[in-house]
Amino acid sequence: MASQFTQQNIKIKTSLLIFLKGSVAPIVLYFENPQSVYDDIQKLLKAASAPKMIELDAIGPIKKVSLVSTDITGIALQEEQYMVKP
């Protein structure tokens, strides 16, 4: 059986994962430039001496989310493969 999946049909998108206190699963968000959002959140978390409200406008299933910086336990970038119809 010949493989239906060629390298041209497989694309990669990057998502931002936000881990929160008291939550088992992370929030998965999609952005046009996830690396930039990741860097901005990292800077905010490193410099935050007091809790700050973070509001993010994403593209994907979750469109908008508001978080308090002290509830964030970690963030990560994740690459995901998906199929594109030829």
Side-chain angles (χ1 to χ4, degrees):
M1 175 188 239
S3 176
Q4 300 173 9
F5 309 113
T6 64
Q7 198 61 27
Q8 291 120 0
N9 293 0
I10 299 174
K11 300 290 182 192
I12 296 175
K13 61 183 171 183
T14 303
S15 60
L16 176 71
L17 306 177
I18 301 177
F19 298 89
L20 300 172
K21 290 180 186 174
S23 179
V24 176
I27 296 175
V28 181
L29 300 171
Y30 299 94
F31 298 95
E32 291 292 328
N33 188 352
Q35 182 67 50
S36 173
V37 177
Y38 175 86
D39 293 339
D40 291 345
I41 294 174
Q42 279 285 65
K43 288 177 193 171
L44 189 121
L45 293 176
K46 287 180 183 178
S49 57
K52 295 200 177 181
M53 179 64 74
I54 301 170
E55 190 170 295
L56 302 168
D57 294 317
I59 55 173
I62 299 175
K63 302 291 185 205
K64 186 173 261 199
V65 65
S66 296
L67 308 163
V68 178
S69 61
T70 55
D71 287 343
I72 298 173
T73 59
I75 59 174
L77 291 173
Q78 174 178 278
E79 289 186 346
E80 304 172 4
Q81 293 183 351
Y82 65 101
M83 296 296 298
V84 179
K85 291 184 181 181

